């Protein structure tokens, strides 16, 4: 059999994990050569022992140092260990001497001496080939900028971050920062630029800088304004050269909050593959961003983003009275906007404006409320768009401040979690297929019938409470959603409350279910300490008992079910029929599927 070429082997080995690559290393000479190049191209620093091993290897096997292209220190490596790494082991000097092809050093330590050592090596002509270095932060910003200036001929990526706002508006007074700005046009190989600091600059203010970087591909801005924009920015018509080679743009809404700035984006960046524009929804009022763009400008911007850019995440404010019009336009552009999530937030505002959160995979509407509100704003939106909506996700309430509690919002909370609200949504959306609510209604009167909806086939409950009683309203949905096939229950136990989730009782006597998904959102994995689950399933076919684990499902007798210890998760399910159960956990990829 003819051997595979080194190029093909390299592509194959890149998909292997570390352990399997080592196995390939020990197979034959040809595989050894290919696997060795892959193993040593990127070196992870995860412990003190890994530092010692790498230093010894570089000193004794000089040919391996030539294979090293990147070194990354993981954040789990504690700061005191990192100090030992750089000082006692003289690590930087070792890699400078033995790794002539090193292109990237990534480290999360905030020790200023690291940057001083790197700068010292650069002045001696070592490490001058580096294309990427660790991102800066406020405590190391000045030495970082000095290091960046010494690497202006080779750097592919720069991250200037005053993330703690230590310098604030005084950043522009720094000598090294001014030097960096004056020499930015000398970074001819720069492909990625990230700027994070306090500034009132608009996006177009950086046009000269953008034009001075011919190889730029990615732009990321996170500029915090120092004052609130209180009136529209005077319109300016820009004459700018398009940059179709720039494929990724990230910025905040404050930078583009005007008609002229939105037009600048559409003229300048005509070939974007990724766009992210965040709105300061929960920012302090003095930094808030009220939209001053006209409806026509907003719609032109949306038409530029939605159908043309493969991956996007944009947030923008829009008048509540035109929300339905905007949504109808969105549905005509992309079918995914038949699925909408609705959220409320208690930001006290005088304007009747919602915040649209649009991405290439999902959409949300954030609506402000006050406790004295007499009706829910989203009902008007659903009334206008009712025949177009296929999925409604009702995500409940987000709070502007941690001090906000339910007791201060009694009237609104009662309105929000009334069963009549669910019935109203079902009536307003005749084409609805998926209903997602944040929690089950508090109480359902025994004589309440509700609204019967024949097209909903999936129900998701995002947060179920800590007692079996909170699941009692499920029987209401069983009665009024006759074609329900998929039920998803998400829950999160508080520490110390794990026992309350040992039994999940699902009573849906009128439902023929294809799938029941139990999604544990809890990071505390003690809930799944035991791999088995006990299941009592009552259907039209009778009552059956099972033990389920990762290997599968085993039918057991009622006698065995009753005597088995209750030290594992249990299901007590009543329905007309059930085909399968899926167990998922947010912080684990090990899903379990049981088919009956």
């Amino acid at each position: 059999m003819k051997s595979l070429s080194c190029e093909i082997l390299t592509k194959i080995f890149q998909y292997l994990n570390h352990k399997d690559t080592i196995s390939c290393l020990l197979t034959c000479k040809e595989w050894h050569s290919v696997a060795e190049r892959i193993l040593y191209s990127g070196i992870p620093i995860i412990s003190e022992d890994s530092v010692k091993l790498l230093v010894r290897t570089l000193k004794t096997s000089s040919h391996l140092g030539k294979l090293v292209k990147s070194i990354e220190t993981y954040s789990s490596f504690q700061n005191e260990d990192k100090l030992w790494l750089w000082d006692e082991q003289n690590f930087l000097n070792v890699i400078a001497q033995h790794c002539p092809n090193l292109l990237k050093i990534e480290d999360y330590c905030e020790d200023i001496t690291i940057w001083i050592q790197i700068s010292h090596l650069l002045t001696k002509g070592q490490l001058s080939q580096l294309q990427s270095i660790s991102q800066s932060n406020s405590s190391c910003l000045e030495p970082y900028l000095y290091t960046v200036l010494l690497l202006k001929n080779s750097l592919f990526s720069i991250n200037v971050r005053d993330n703690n706002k230590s310098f604030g508006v005084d950043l522009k007074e720094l000598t090294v920062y001014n030097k960096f700005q004056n020499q930015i046009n000398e970074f001819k190989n720069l492909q990625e630029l990230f700027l994070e600091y306090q500034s009132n600059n608009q996006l177009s203010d950086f046009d000269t800088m953008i034009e001075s970087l011919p190889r730029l591909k990615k732009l990321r801005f996170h500029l915090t304004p120092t004052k609130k924009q209180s009136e529209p920015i005077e319109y300016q018509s820009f004459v700018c050269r398009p940059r179709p080679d720039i494929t990724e743009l990230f910025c905040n809404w404050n930078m583009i909050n005007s008609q002229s700035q939105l037009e600048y984006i559409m003229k300048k960046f005509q070939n974007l593959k990724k766009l992210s524009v965040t709105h300061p929804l929960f920012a302090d009022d003095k930094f808030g961003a009220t939209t001053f763009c006209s409806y026509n400008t907003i719609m032109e911007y949306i038409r530029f983003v939605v159908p043309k850019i493969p991956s996007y995440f944009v947030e923008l404010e829009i008048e509540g009275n035109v929300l339905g019009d905007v949504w109808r336009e969105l549905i005509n552009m992309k079918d995914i906007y038949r699925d909408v999530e609705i959220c409320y937030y208690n930001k006290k505002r005088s304007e009747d404006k919602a915040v649209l959160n649009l991405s290439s995979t999902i959409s949300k509407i954030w609506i402000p409320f006050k406790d004295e509100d007499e009706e829910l704003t989203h009902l008007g939106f659903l009334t206008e768009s009712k025949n177009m909506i296929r999925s409604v996700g009702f995500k409940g309430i987000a709070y502007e401040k941690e001090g906000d509690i339910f007791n201060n919002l009694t009237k609104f909370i009662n309105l929000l979690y009334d069963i009549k609200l669910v019935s109203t949504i079902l009536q307003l959306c005749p084409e609805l297929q998926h209903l997602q609510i944040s929690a089950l209604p508090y109480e359902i009167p025994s004589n309440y019938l509700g609204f019967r909806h024949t097209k909903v086939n999936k129900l998701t409950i995002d947060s179920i409470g800590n007692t079996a009683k909170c699941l009692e309203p499920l029987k209401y949905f069983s009665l009024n959603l006759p074609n329900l096939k998929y039920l998803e229950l998400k829950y999160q136990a508080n520490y110390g409350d794990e026992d309350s989730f040992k039994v999940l009782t699902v009573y849906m006597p009128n439902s023929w279910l294809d799938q029941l998904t139990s999604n544990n959102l809890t990071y505390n994995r003690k809930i799944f300490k035991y791999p088995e689950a006990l299941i009592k399933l009552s259907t039209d076919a009778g009552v059956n008992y099972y033990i389920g684990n990762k290997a599968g499902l085993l039918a057991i007798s009622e006698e065995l079910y009753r005597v088995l210890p209750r030290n594992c998760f249990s299901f007590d399910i009543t329905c007309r029929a059930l085909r399968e159960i899926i167990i998922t956990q947010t912080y684990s990829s090990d899903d379990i599927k049981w088919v009956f």
Side-chain angles (χ1 to χ4, degrees), residues 464 489-493 501 504 518-522 528 569:
I464 63 176
L489 303 176
K490 301 180 181 181
Y491 54 93
Q492 181 168 357
F501 278 94
L504 193 64
S518 174
N519 189 337
N520 175 26
L521 305 176
T522 308
F528 283 97
F569 199 79

Side-chain angles (χ1 to χ4, degrees), residues 62-106:
S62 58
H63 73 285
L64 294 178
K66 297 177 182 178
L67 302 177
V68 178
K69 294 184 179 179
S70 70
I71 295 177
E72 180 174 357
T73 304
Y74 281 70
S75 56
S76 58
F77 198 16
Q78 300 300 316
N79 283 345
E80 56 269 22
D81 293 325
K82 292 179 184 178
L83 292 176
W84 177 90
L85 157 69
W86 301 113
D87 299 333
E88 186 174 325
Q89 285 295 305
N90 201 19
F91 189 57
L92 278 174
N93 281 321
V94 172
I95 63 174
Q97 293 174 21
H98 298 282
C99 303
N101 298 315
L102 184 66
L103 302 177
K104 178 180 179 180
I105 296 180
E106 289 288 345

Side-chain angles (χ1 to χ4, degrees), residues 203-204 238 240 242-243 249 251-253 255-272 275-277 301 304-305 309 314:
L203 183 60
S204 61
F238 294 101
C240 61
R243 286 292 301 269
L249 173 64
C251 66
N252 41 327
W253 180 251
M255 296 183 67
I256 61 170
N257 187 10
S258 70
Q259 180 177 343
S260 54
Q261 293 302 313
L262 292 180
E263 289 180 359
Y264 174 77
I265 285 184
M266 293 183 278
K267 291 177 182 178
K268 188 72 176 179
F269 310 106
Q270 299 178 356
N271 194 34
L272 289 176
L275 174 66
S276 178
V277 180
Y301 169 61
F304 167 76
V305 172
I309 300 177
V314 297

Side-chain angles (χ1 to χ4, degrees), residues 72-321:
E72 180 174 357
T73 304
Y74 281 70
S75 56
S76 58
F77 198 16
Q78 300 300 316
N79 283 345
E80 56 269 22
D81 293 325
K82 292 179 184 178
L83 292 176
W84 177 90
L85 157 69
W86 301 113
D87 299 333
E88 186 174 325
Q89 285 295 305
N90 201 19
F91 189 57
L92 278 174
N93 281 321
V94 172
I95 63 174
Q97 293 174 21
H98 298 282
C99 303
N101 298 315
L102 184 66
L103 302 177
K104 178 180 179 180
I105 296 180
E106 289 288 345
D107 178 74
Y108 296 93
C109 183
E110 298 182 4
D111 183 15
I112 196 172
T113 60
I114 296 175
W115 296 108
I116 295 174
Q117 290 182 46
I118 293 177
S119 297
H120 177 66
L121 290 169
L122 289 170
T123 58
K124 296 196 302 182
Q126 295 177 301
L127 299 178
S128 59
Q129 75 284 355
L130 283 174
Q131 296 175 355
S132 177
I133 56 178
S134 305
Q135 64 182 10
S136 71
N137 52 42
S138 297
S139 62
C140 297
L141 184 55
E142 288 186 83
Y144 171 83
L145 288 172
Y146 279 114
T147 306
V148 162
L149 289 171
L150 292 170
L151 287 167
K152 59 187 176 185
N153 293 323
S154 62
L155 275 185
F156 278 22
S157 175
I158 294 177
N159 293 270
V160 179
R161 300 179 64 233
D162 181 20
N163 56 314
N164 294 330
K165 309 298 182 292
S166 299
F167 295 95
V169 294
D170 295 330
L171 178 64
K172 60 185 179 181
E173 305 297 330
L174 281 182
T175 302
V176 66
Y177 178 73
N178 286 315
K179 190 174 181 180
F180 166 74
Q181 284 195 312
N182 293 333
Q183 296 184 19
I184 191 69
N185 62 325
E186 299 180 31
F187 290 79
K188 298 302 182 183
N189 291 312
L190 192 65
Q191 297 182 16
E192 301 179 16
L193 178 62
F194 179 20
L195 303 178
E196 179 181 355
Y197 48 78
Q198 283 191 307
S199 172
N200 295 315
N201 285 110
Q202 301 289 293
L203 183 60
S204 61
D205 295 335
F206 295 91
D207 190 69
T208 302
M209 181 196 72
I210 294 171
E211 284 304 301
S212 68
L213 301 170
R215 300 190 63 184
L216 196 61
K217 304 293 183 185
K218 301 178 183 179
L219 268 172
R220 185 187 296 266
F221 297 96
H222 189 84
L223 304 187
T224 304
T226 59
K227 59 182 179 180
K228 183 177 180 179
Q229 182 182 344
S230 58
E231 58 185 21
I233 296 175
E234 185 177 351
Y235 178 78
Q236 293 177 284
S237 179
F238 294 101
V239 178
C240 61
R241 185 178 73 88
R243 286 292 301 269
D245 51 326
I246 295 179
T247 58
E248 296 186 19
L249 173 64
F250 299 80
C251 66
N252 41 327
W253 180 251
N254 306 80
M255 296 183 67
I256 61 170
N257 187 10
S258 70
Q259 180 177 343
S260 54
Q261 293 302 313
L262 292 180
E263 289 180 359
Y264 174 77
I265 285 184
M266 293 183 278
K267 291 177 182 178
K268 188 72 176 179
F269 310 106
Q270 299 178 356
N271 194 34
L272 289 176
K273 304 302 180 187
K274 287 186 178 182
L275 174 66
S276 178
V277 180
T278 56
H279 185 282
L281 182 62
F282 299 109
D284 188 61
D285 277 344
K286 65 180 181 180
F287 296 134
T290 299
T291 299
F292 293 105
C293 302
S294 67
Y295 170 74
N296 291 334
T297 302
I298 290 289
M299 289 311 306
E300 185 180 359
Y301 169 61
I302 290 176
R303 294 186 193 104
F304 167 76
V305 172
V306 173
K308 297 179 181 179
I309 300 177
S311 178
Y312 56 88
F313 177 87
V314 297
E315 296 176 318
L316 64 156
E317 272 191 347
I318 198 160
E319 297 286 347
N321 59 354

Side-chain angles (χ1 to χ4, degrees), residues 530-537 543-573 581 583 592-596:
Y530 302 95
E532 295 87 7
L534 291 176
I535 304 169
K536 177 184 177 182
L537 179 59
V543 181
N544 294 281
Y545 303 90
Y546 303 88
I547 291 180
N549 56 31
K550 291 184 178 181
L553 201 62
L554 176 66
I556 60 174
S557 66
E558 180 180 358
E559 291 77 13
L560 181 57
Y561 174 83
R562 294 188 181 281
V563 299
L564 284 174
R566 295 301 190 264
N567 57 0
C568 62
F569 199 79
S570 299
F571 291 92
D572 186 351
I573 304 170
I581 293 178
I583 307 294
I592 301 173
K593 182 177 179 179
W594 298 319
V595 180
F596 296 96

Side-chain angles (χ1 to χ4, degrees), residues 568-587:
C568 62
F569 199 79
S570 299
F571 291 92
D572 186 351
I573 304 170
T574 301
C575 58
R576 301 295 299 271
L578 176 62
R579 183 167 58 88
E580 65 183 24
I581 293 178
I582 295 179
I583 307 294
T584 65
Q585 192 166 3
T586 300
Y587 296 94

